[in-house]
Amino acid sequence: MDSEPGDRRVSAGGTATREARDLLPLKILIAGGFGVGKTTLVAALSEVPPLSTEQQMTSLSDGVDDTSIVPEKTTTTVAMDFGRVTVDDSLVLYLFGTPGQSRFWFMWDELARGAVGAVVLVDLRRIDDSFAAIDYFENRGLPFVVALNSFPGTDGVDVDVVRDALAVPARCPIRYVDARDDASCTDVLITLVEHSLTRSA
């Protein structure tokens, strides 16, 4: 079947269209602790129905996953979340949300392969939960930005105080974000891409 105008698929003859050749795909990770809003952020940004591996939490998670701060949470990501954001005719972002629980961290290495950077979501009510993700990306030299998700009672905390508490270097951007709002999430992605390009340069 012939490709329609603007179609980026490979043509019947096996030759990629010029648009496909010029398209720059970037892989970005969305990481953070359990219940911090990774699935919500991917869903808010993705232009296609996001792929999610959310599963119902069962009694097996009792005593393993702390839901005291997020008692309404009934599902959890067991593999990854996936979404796509087309920035313009030349740039498309592929979002991979990582699982938050430590028992699924073995998947991070595979998800991080080929990524240009990461967004580390932080819930200031549970700041300790973000250290594992920050350490992971710092140890691998992968650029990342810290995004402080809007939860009740967490707005207005001074960014410098947060930076000291997380022990992240001055070169690492820290931004407030509402993971439910696509415009807010887009601003964080732009910050990450700019940060990654600066690091690469």
Side-chain angles (χ1 to χ4, degrees):
M1 183 175 65
D2 293 336
S3 298
E4 299 177 357
D7 195 346
R8 297 189 176 94
R9 293 176 297 178
V10 175
S11 65
T15 302
T17 64
R18 182 181 63 81
E19 287 183 349
R21 290 194 303 269
D22 294 342
L23 188 65
L24 176 63
L26 296 181
K27 181 180 183 180
I28 291 175
L29 297 187
I30 311 299
F34 169 73
V36 78
K38 299 180 294 295
T39 300
T40 301
L41 186 147
V42 172
L45 283 170
S46 183
E47 66 198 19
V48 297
L51 169 66
S52 178
T53 58
E54 287 272 295
Q55 296 293 324
Q56 287 291 326
M57 296 175 64
T58 67
S59 58
L60 294 177
S61 66
D62 292 345
V64 178
D65 300 323
D66 182 9
T67 60
S68 59
I69 299 295
V70 283
E72 71 284 357
K73 186 172 179 60
T74 59
T75 62
T76 185
T77 299
V78 297
M80 67 174 184
D81 299 308
F82 173 78
R84 186 185 72 194
V85 180
T86 299
V87 178
D88 54 34
D89 291 338
S90 62
L91 180 62
V92 61
L93 306 179
Y94 293 103
L95 310 178
F96 288 80
T98 65
Q101 302 98 315
S102 58
R103 62 186 181 277
F104 297 126
W105 284 352
F106 67 91
M107 300 186 62
W108 283 38
D109 286 340
E110 191 62 34
L111 290 175
R113 195 183 309 276
V116 298
V119 174
V120 177
L121 271 177
V122 175
D123 180 351
L124 289 176
R125 301 171 303 175
R126 300 176 291 139
I127 197 168
D128 290 351
D129 291 353
S130 60
F131 289 137
I134 290 173
D135 289 344
Y136 181 89
F137 298 121
E138 282 187 338
N139 291 337
R140 286 156 182 78
L142 190 68
F144 67 94
V145 300
V146 173
L148 310 177
N149 200 4
S150 295
F151 284 101
T154 64
D155 293 333
V157 179
D158 188 86
V159 169
D160 290 334
V161 173
V162 175
R163 186 181 300 279
D164 289 342
L166 293 174
V168 294
R171 67 175 181 275
C172 176
I174 298 178
R175 299 287 185 271
Y176 273 95
V177 67
D178 185 339
R180 302 163 297 183
D181 180 68
D182 61 343
S184 177
C185 296
T186 298
D187 287 342
V188 170
L189 285 189
I190 291 172
T191 300
L192 173 62
V193 172
E194 291 175 343
H195 178 54
S196 298
L197 291 174
T198 300
R199 288 280 302 273
S200 297

